[in-house]
Amino acid sequence: MIDIQTEIENNYLIISVEGEADASSSIHLDKAIRDAIDQENTNLLVDCTKLNYISSAGLGVFMSYIEEISEKSIHFILFGLSEKVFKVFGILGLDQLLTIKENKEEAVSVINGI
């Protein structure tokens, strides 16, 4: 099960992900990201502090947006990944393809160019 909330804060949109991103729930994650991009948000933060588990389907959601994020010059930053979840991203090399920060403050500093 997954719970996804979005909120606008200053000049960025935060997508908060709680629970497990698996084959059955990753469609909700995909919809949240798709909606954010379709609404032309160029500063997207994905709060993963409460993401307990991610399957290959969940990882596939992030992978499917890498090219579009680059083409549209979108700041797309994940933060707050647990060590377990971060390792999964690392195994597939997604930590090299996506911007991943330790916490919200670091993520916001990337958007603000600090």
Side-chain angles (χ1 to χ4, degrees), residues 28-29 32-33 38 61 65 70 84 86 96 108:
H28 303 292
L29 176 61
I33 295 171
D38 287 349
V61 169
Y65 288 102
S70 177
K84 179 175 79 173
F86 182 75
Q96 303 299 310
V108 170

Side-chain angles (χ1 to χ4, degrees), residues 3-103:
D3 181 40
I4 298 174
Q5 302 292 323
T6 59
E7 66 177 301
I8 294 176
E9 216 175 277
N10 298 320
N11 62 335
Y12 49 87
L13 178 77
I14 298 178
I15 300 171
S16 299
V17 184
E18 182 176 348
E20 300 181 353
D22 57 22
S24 63
S25 65
S26 61
I27 57 170
H28 303 292
L29 176 61
D30 184 55
K31 182 178 179 343
I33 295 171
R34 177 83 267 145
D35 289 350
I37 291 174
D38 287 349
Q39 293 167 9
E40 299 184 2
N41 289 290
T42 56
N43 296 318
L44 300 175
L45 302 181
V46 182
D47 180 354
C48 299
T49 54
K50 295 181 181 176
L51 177 63
N52 303 323
Y53 169 83
I54 190 161
S55 72
S56 58
L59 291 167
V61 169
F62 290 112
M63 289 171 52
S64 70
Y65 288 102
I66 290 172
E67 188 176 333
E68 184 174 5
I69 289 165
S70 177
E71 288 173 356
K72 294 184 176 179
S73 299
I74 296 171
H75 284 114
F76 187 87
I77 305 154
L78 289 81
F79 71 90
L81 279 72
S82 69
E83 186 176 335
K84 179 175 79 173
V85 171
F86 182 75
K87 282 183 181 179
V88 176
F89 276 80
I91 289 169
L92 294 178
L94 288 178
D95 59 331
Q96 303 299 310
L97 299 173
L98 295 167
T99 303
I100 301 174
K101 295 297 179 184
E102 198 168 312
N103 55 50

Side-chain angles (χ1 to χ4, degrees), residues 11 75 106-114:
N11 62 335
H75 284 114
E106 288 181 15
V108 170
S109 71
V110 171
I111 289 174
N112 294 330
I114 298 172

